[in-house]
Amino acid sequence: MTHDKKNAKIIPFPHLKDRLVEKGMASLKEKKYQEALELFSEAMKYDDTESDLHLGMAICFLELGELEEAKRVCEKMLKEGYGHYFTVLQVYMTILIQLKKYEEVKSTIEAVLEENQLPAESAEQFYKLLDFSRKMTDPEREDEAWAEEYEDTIDTEKVLASPEEQMNLIHSLKDRNVAKYTGLLKTILQDPSAHPIIKTMIVMLLAEHEYSKPVHITKFGESLTIEPSEIVPPDAAPILHRVLRVLDETLGNENPTLYAAVEELWRRHLYVLYPFQPKLLSADLWAAALHKVGYEMHGIEIEREELHMMYEFTDRELDEACTMIKDIEEISYL
């Protein structure tokens, strides 16, 4: 009797699929989403009709940021009737919101409401999602929608009172929609006690997200209204490069190591000032001031007459510029 390996059936261990699902659910609860996804995928090989498997995979994809895959799984579940319809629908709505498909959210929930199928226990949540999606499809109400949807997710008072909390908030928004937090960010920008570097970071964050609405900012006793999407970043400011060109011809030739240190000093100065510009716009004046302050910081003396031979400036303006550089350098680190 011969044994045909090619045609032999592979018989899985008893209850293997159930054990895979159980382990996958345990990993899901522990927020080990990649591990859970792999277990669910393995279990699918034995039974691809179990609703918990599909829903578990959708949640894993969602948490891992693979939104299109999560969307595909939910659409398959809704189409083929896997799982509790409204549980799946709620996950699906969450995915669509993260994909910014607000029109689809609105039309889907409106269709469900027309059929009078919404269960009482889910009604409030779906009505909130519907109201939110309607506002998000109306440009004039977008900020209002985010503010209402997320007003309870952070401790506003704690953030306003702590530079560390403000930095944590800014870093957390790098790859997220900032619209929901613009109200809080604008409050910090107008707070006279908020650190200037925090305000710089907020303006740059809004610029990176191409935020195009007017923003009012107070810094060093001055006020300014800007549109972040239109503003030039500090490392592209014309005054930065004009001053460095002048310095390169003098200090750069004389002491390249000190020039590098002074360049960092000047970049830091403009970063702290941002989005404001120096009041004095003479490149020669700032080059002279940076040359003088740079020497002083390294314990080197330089006569004013020697500076006059290299740069054009008045003594009064030089003293003012040197004071500004020193004052801002003192607060240039958090």
Side-chain angles (χ1 to χ4, degrees), residues 163 166-167 170 188-189 191-204 217-221 268-276 327-334:
Q166 292 165 11
M167 285 191 67
I170 293 165
I188 298 171
L189 287 175
D191 180 3
S193 66
H195 199 287
I197 290 181
I198 295 290
K199 294 182 179 183
T200 293
M201 293 171 69
I202 290 174
V203 173
M204 294 186 72
I217 178 170
T218 301
K219 223 182 214 191
F220 303 112
R268 212 158 45 241
H269 184 89
L270 294 179
Y271 182 86
V272 177
L273 274 181
Y274 184 77
F276 293 84
D327 286 348
I328 285 185
E329 182 63 11
E330 285 183 4
I331 60 167
S332 63
Y333 297 92
L334 281 171

Side-chain angles (χ1 to χ4, degrees), residues 98 164 183 210 218 246 270:
Q98 291 203 26
E164 183 179 355
E210 300 183 345
T218 301
V246 174
L270 294 179

Side-chain angles (χ1 to χ4, degrees), residues 84-99:
H84 184 269
Y85 179 80
F86 289 102
T87 299
V88 178
L89 184 62
Q90 193 159 342
V91 174
Y92 184 51
M93 293 298 98
T94 300
I95 295 164
L96 290 181
I97 284 174
Q98 291 203 26
L99 287 169

